[in-house]
């Protein structure tokens, strides 16, 4: 998995695509939270949940269905509490932003060099998948492991394969938004 500091790069890169009414610090923060939330499954290790179990690391919480359900609930909750007009496209755009933010977690994990893969199709299928190209160094799970030589190598890898491309997307989309 990429480290917790790199998963938010995707919602940050998507932010310039949001309409003005959604481009707020709160919505962007919510996207960042959605991008790291799937890794709460590591708590299962403390309770004896095996890595390869559907509820284990990179299991159900990294699946497509989880991303869609979480974003549906959050977008609905925000639409009701903020009272977004039902005729507006804003709830759909918000749902898409939150869906992509959450789903990006598993996609980035499938680009890493370690672990058992990602259960994209859980709960229907617990098979784990990686992409054929896996350039991102897998991050240590422990804090001690993160603050080590390996942690520095992981951050260098994430800078190259996550932050640099995300920054370029942000610059490009911001420029296109100003032109159009």
């Amino acid at each position: 998995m990429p480290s917790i500091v790199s998963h938010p790069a995707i919602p940050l890169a998507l932010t310039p695509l949001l309409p003005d009414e959604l481009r707020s610090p709160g919505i962007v923060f919510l996207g960042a939270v959605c991008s790291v939330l799937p890794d709460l499954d590591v708590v299962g290790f403390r309770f004896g949940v095996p890595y390869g179990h559907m509820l284990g690391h990179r299991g159900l919480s990294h699946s497509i269905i989880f991303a869609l359900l979480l974003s549906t609930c959050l977008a609905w909750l925000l639409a009701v509490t903020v009272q977004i007009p039902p005729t507006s496209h804003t709830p759909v755009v918000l749902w898409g932003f939150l869906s992509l933010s959450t789903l990006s977690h598993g996609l980035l994990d499938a680009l890493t060099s370690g672990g058992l893969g990602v259960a994209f199709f859980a709960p229907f299928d617990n098979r784990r998948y990686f992409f054929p190209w896996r350039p991102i160094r897998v991050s240590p799970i422990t804090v001690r492991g993160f603050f080590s030589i390996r942690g520095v190598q992981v951050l260098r890898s994430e800078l190259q394969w996550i932050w640099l491309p995300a920054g370029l997307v942000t610059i490009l989309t911001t420029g296109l938004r100003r032109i159009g």
Side-chain angles (χ1 to χ4, degrees), residues 79-116:
V80 169
T81 58
V82 181
Q83 297 180 347
I84 298 170
T87 57
S88 168
H89 67 282
T90 305
V92 174
V93 173
L94 175 63
W95 175 83
F97 173 70
L98 296 175
S99 294
L100 288 173
S101 296
T102 309
L103 186 59
S104 71
H105 187 104
L107 297 173
L108 288 177
D109 280 2
L111 289 168
T112 63
S113 61
L116 299 179

Side-chain angles (χ1 to χ4, degrees), residues 2-11 35-36 108 136 154-155 157-159 162-163 166:
S3 68
I4 194 168
V5 298
S6 288
H7 281 290
I10 305 304
S35 75
V36 298
L108 288 177
I136 303 170
V154 166
L155 288 176
S157 170
E158 292 176 1
L159 181 63
I162 301 172
W163 284 102

Side-chain angles (χ1 to χ4, degrees), residues 6-54:
S6 288
H7 281 290
I10 305 304
L12 291 173
L14 294 173
T15 298
L17 299 173
L18 292 173
D20 292 337
E21 62 269 19
L22 289 179
R23 211 171 324 114
S24 70
I27 297 296
V28 174
F29 179 75
L30 185 58
V33 168
C34 285
S35 75
V36 298
L37 194 65
D39 269 347
L40 284 179
D41 61 9
V42 298
V43 172
F45 289 139
R46 292 264 186 213
F47 298 100
V49 177
Y51 192 125
H53 189 275
M54 186 181 309

Side-chain angles (χ1 to χ4, degrees), residues 61-173:
S61 67
H62 287 59
S63 70
I64 295 167
I65 196 81
F66 177 83
L68 297 177
L69 288 174
L70 176 66
S71 58
T72 299
C73 292
L74 291 173
W76 175 81
L77 184 63
L78 284 171
V80 169
T81 58
V82 181
Q83 297 180 347
I84 298 170
T87 57
S88 168
H89 67 282
T90 305
V92 174
V93 173
L94 175 63
W95 175 83
F97 173 70
L98 296 175
S99 294
L100 288 173
S101 296
T102 309
L103 186 59
S104 71
H105 187 104
L107 297 173
L108 288 177
D109 280 2
L111 289 168
T112 63
S113 61
L116 299 179
V118 179
F120 286 118
F121 304 107
F124 309 108
D125 181 2
N126 195 38
R127 276 183 278 189
R128 306 298 177 101
Y129 298 89
F130 281 112
F131 292 122
W133 183 59
R134 297 168 36 190
I136 303 170
R137 303 268 319 242
V138 69
S139 178
I141 292 178
T142 65
V143 174
R144 175 182 272 176
F146 189 72
F147 291 102
S148 67
I149 296 295
R150 183 169 164 228
V152 171
Q153 292 169 339
V154 166
L155 288 176
R156 189 176 311 137
S157 170
E158 292 176 1
L159 181 63
Q160 178 181 2
W161 297 110
I162 301 172
W163 284 102
L164 184 59
L168 292 173
V169 167
T170 303
I171 291 167
L172 179 65
T173 55

